[in-house]
Amino acid sequence: MKLKGRKIYKGIVEAEAIVTKDGISFYGGVDPETGKIVEVGHELEGQSIIGKVLVFPSGKGSTVGSYTMYRMMKNNTAPAAIVNEQIDTIVAVGCIISEIPCLDKVNINNIKTGQNILVNASEGFLEVK
Amino acid sequence: MDLTSEEQDMLDGKFGKAAQKSMEILSALGEIFNAESMVEVTGVQIAGVSYDNLGEAGLEFLSEMAEDGKVKVLTTLNPAGMDRENWRLLGIDEEFAKNQNRVIDAFARMGVITTCSCTPYLIGNSPHFGQHIAWAESSAVCYANSVIGARTNREGGPSALASAITGKTPNYGYHLDENRYGQVLVKVNCDLKGTDEFGVLGKIIGDKLVELGMKIPYIIGISSATVEELKSFCASVATYGGTALFHMKGITPEYDKYPQPSENLIEINETNLEQARNKLIDDDIEVDFVSVGCPHASIYEIEKISRLLKGKKVNKEFWITTARPTKRIADEAGYSKIIEKAGAKFAADTCCVVAPIKGRFKGIMVDSAKACYYGRAKNKFKVKIGTIEDCIEEAIK
């Protein structure tokens, strides 16, 4: 299945999806050392996002979150790609400075955790394998 | 989005790596928010300066940008995590000081004026009416848009830096007339006085705006307000409501440019003020820290503090947070000597929000509603708001 989206940051990558209906705050909500979601009560609390195609509706929280994403890239704890319904400025800037392929305007209801996803952010689509 | 040939060249890397990364950030934001083009900015204020917030990763990003990045326009900095001269006296450790200076040095290499203040408009980064700017620091954004009538969106650290390096920002949001209309009519039915009271008003309005899902209040019924009261109000309404722009009839320059909204009326009377004030005073608070100057104290506030402290002794940790240039004026005028003789401390370049003081104190007393919010959320203190006079009385008790 092929889904269209809008390119936020270029790149082509294939990896396993991890999907949540909750928003993500990278500042405070994700541990950049372990790559795990640490926000109390979050649907993905305790789960690792390292090397995954991270699928969530939209970012939230402090603008410092962009720097947290950069730190994850440097630590090798970053997700392989990010797919959003509606991008926010924190995640957009985070992806650009960290060079993480990113798409938004994707109907994320069609993606399930564990599926293999080819993200072609450069051309604005993804494929559920 | 249409880019000029110069902007396209930046994006293609012809002006170096930092300019390319900057234009990538700005053009992506422009696409997301449907900007048709970029607009030139005349000034930038950068947030994300305290090492406490940035960490090693943020510092690494700045160092990479500083390899070939140079700012093209007047650019100043938000407060750092410490007083750059007086950090030892304020209890900052050596390691933190070293890292904080690495951050400031990276900005300096890019040509940023390293003022370290949240009130750039008081110390030389003061745009005039209608100018396009790219500012981070929510209180200063609100002041610039509303009180000065300049135009800026609420930028984050990286996007503000990107604008400094390129001299551009995508033309959307508050840069456009159509997005500057008042949305909510706020009728204030009582007299207001003092930085604390204007901060309380900001909290009431901010909380209501969040409930309504709206951003721009149009406020009537306030007969006068000082610069200090307005900066306190801006900090508060931006903190509690995410507000970047308000109009205040008879006071701000654009109040008669846009129609007074006829829907979404909020009325505020003395009882509302009293109730909101009580929400900024925690039960059983034991004050062991007093801090004045959020946003950074003006020279007029410092003069007042020196009058109130003359010949007295403080018995608690007492910080006056301000911009370095303002502190220099206070030094020359003799205010600093009086204040320091009373045992109070200047904390220039920093503030009680961004300094690494979590857990160091139990209860903080302030004259700022914004400082109450971050005192609780970030530093886990109990908080109490009062007038500047109340703060000083508490400190010498």
Side-chain angles (χ1 to χ4, degrees):
Chain A
M1 179 177 45
K2 204 166 160 178
L3 297 171
K4 279 176 81 171
R6 175 173 71 164
K7 175 186 89 173
I8 301 296
Y9 191 78
K10 63 181 186 245
I12 303 169
V13 64
E14 189 174 332
E16 189 186 322
I18 184 164
V19 186
T20 175
K21 293 277 177 291
D22 292 348
I24 291 181
S25 167
F26 278 88
Y27 181 63
V30 181
D31 182 344
E33 303 305 319
T34 62
K36 286 183 179 165
I37 305 273
V38 292
E39 183 184 330
V40 176
H42 195 282
E43 194 185 346
L44 299 181
E45 187 182 349
Q47 296 195 47
S48 169
I49 59 174
I50 300 174
K52 305 271 175 67
V53 174
L54 179 60
V55 183
F56 58 103
S58 195
K60 59 177 186 180
S62 160
T63 56
V64 179
S66 305
Y67 288 125
T68 308
M69 294 172 71
Y70 187 80
R71 186 164 162 190
M72 295 177 80
M73 184 268 288
K74 291 283 176 185
N75 286 344
N76 297 315
T77 58
I82 285 178
V83 175
N84 276 179
E85 245 163 37
Q86 176 61 49
I87 195 83
D88 79 307
T89 52
I90 302 161
V91 173
V93 172
C95 285
I96 296 163
I97 65 178
S98 320
E99 306 188 344
I100 299 170
C102 179
L103 285 173
D104 86 330
K105 307 260 184 215
V106 174
N107 186 351
I108 64 172
N109 296 323
N110 293 323
I111 310 172
K112 305 274 175 286
T113 294
Q115 284 174 332
N116 218 32
I117 311 283
L118 172 74
V119 176
N120 185 336
S122 303
E123 291 177 50
F125 70 89
L126 63 81
E127 246 181 289
V128 180
K129 295 265 175 161
Chain B
M1 175 175 194
D2 289 333
L3 295 181
T4 63
S5 58
E6 188 201 22
E7 289 159 3
Q8 189 62 50
D9 285 348
M10 285 183 186
L11 193 58
D12 294 339
K14 291 182 190 161
F15 289 86
K17 262 171 45 193
Q20 181 176 32
K21 188 55 70 187
S22 298
M23 196 46 81
E24 278 179 3
I25 293 172
L26 299 175
S27 59
L29 291 176
E31 294 289 342
I32 293 165
F33 293 106
N34 298 317
E36 286 176 6
S37 62
M38 298 283 174
V39 62
E40 290 196 4
V41 295
T42 54
V44 171
Q45 165 79 3
I46 295 177
V49 179
S50 173
Y51 184 78
D52 201 29
N53 288 335
L54 278 174
E56 205 51 33
L59 175 56
E60 207 170 314
F61 173 74
L62 294 173
S63 303
E64 278 182 22
M65 292 296 272
E67 279 171 19
D68 68 350
K70 281 275 177 286
V71 303
K72 289 181 81 172
V73 294
L74 167 63
T75 304
T76 50
L77 283 188
N78 238 27
M82 63 179 197
D83 184 302
R84 297 186 69 190
E85 294 175 2
N86 205 17
W87 51 270
R88 275 198 181 84
L89 187 68
L90 300 174
I92 304 293
D93 70 61
E94 196 99 18
E95 182 70 17
F96 184 88
K98 200 181 87 199
N99 287 325
Q100 183 61 72
N101 281 328
R102 287 164 67 211
V103 171
I104 293 168
D105 289 346
F107 282 120
R109 285 201 296 281
M110 290 186 266
V112 175
I113 301 171
T114 54
T115 42
C116 302
S117 176
C118 52
T119 57
Y121 48 88
L122 293 181
I123 54 162
N125 190 353
S126 41
H128 66 62
F129 181 84
Q131 275 185 322
H132 294 277
I133 55 177
W135 280 19
E137 170 47 35
S138 63
S139 73
V141 164
C142 188
Y143 192 96
N145 271 325
S146 316
V147 181
I148 298 173
R151 294 175 177 227
T152 179
N153 288 316
R154 273 164 70 104
E155 302 295 344
S159 64
L161 178 61
S163 287
I165 288 172
T166 59
K168 314 269 182 163
T169 193
N171 197 12
Y172 71 95
Y174 295 108
H175 292 282
L176 305 173
D177 277 348
E178 68 220 47
N179 300 317
R180 296 176 69 90
Y181 282 68
Q183 300 165 325
V184 176
L185 181 63
V186 180
K187 204 170 158 209
V188 180
N189 297 320
C190 48
D191 287 332
L192 291 174
K193 203 169 179 299
T195 44
D196 57 319
E197 207 149 76
F198 272 82
V200 171
L201 177 72
K203 174 176 160 52
I204 299 174
I205 296 174
D207 286 344
K208 284 278 184 194
L209 290 170
V210 170
E211 263 174 51
L212 292 167
M214 301 216 178
K215 289 282 183 213
I216 310 175
Y218 188 108
I219 304 156
I220 61 173
I222 292 180
S223 53
S224 71
T226 65
V227 162
E228 289 77 11
E229 287 164 344
L230 288 170
K231 83 174 158 66
S232 179
F233 175 76
C234 286
S236 178
V237 78
T239 296
Y240 292 95
T243 292
L245 169 66
F246 65 86
H247 302 296
M248 198 179 269
K249 192 171 183 181
I251 292 172
T252 62
E254 288 184 298
Y255 81 89
D256 57 354
K257 184 172 173 178
Y258 304 105
Q260 188 172 306
S262 49
E263 291 176 325
N264 302 312
L265 174 72
I266 301 172
E267 291 207 61
I268 294 170
N269 56 35
E270 261 169 47
T271 316
N272 303 127
L273 276 179
E274 194 58 36
Q275 285 167 346
R277 173 185 292 275
N278 287 336
K279 285 189 193 154
L280 296 176
I281 301 173
D282 284 324
D283 294 339
D284 308 321
I285 180 173
E286 193 187 310
V287 176
D288 57 354
F289 181 34
V290 180
S291 186
V292 174
C294 171
H296 272 169
S298 69
I299 189 62
Y300 193 37
E301 287 174 304
I302 293 174
E303 185 270 340
K304 182 174 181 180
I305 294 164
S306 78
R307 257 188 291 128
L308 293 165
L309 276 179
K310 195 165 187 176
K312 309 258 171 56
K313 273 276 172 223
V314 304
N315 292 306
K316 297 184 174 80
E317 184 83 2
F318 185 4
W319 288 10
I320 295 142
T321 55
T322 190
R324 175 77 47 199
T326 311
K327 163 77 166 43
R328 296 256 190 266
I329 301 172
D331 291 347
E332 287 188 8
Y335 308 143
S336 305
K337 214 171 173 181
I338 296 169
I339 288 168
E340 282 164 354
K341 205 172 164 201
K345 296 173 184 170
F346 276 96
D349 316 311
T350 187
C351 74
C352 65
V353 172
V354 297
I357 52 173
K358 184 175 174 180
R360 232 174 88 185
F361 304 102
K362 291 197 284 283
I364 184 174
M365 177 148 186
V366 291
D367 69 330
S368 156
K370 173 177 181 171
C372 288
Y373 179 89
Y374 285 100
R376 281 172 176 157
K378 181 163 181 277
N379 289 325
K380 312 293 172 200
F381 301 151
K382 287 198 170 186
V383 305
K384 182 178 180 182
I385 196 168
T387 63
I388 283 201
E389 288 85 351
D390 294 339
C391 288
I392 285 168
E393 206 167 294
E394 179 70 46
I396 60 181
K397 205 157 72 180

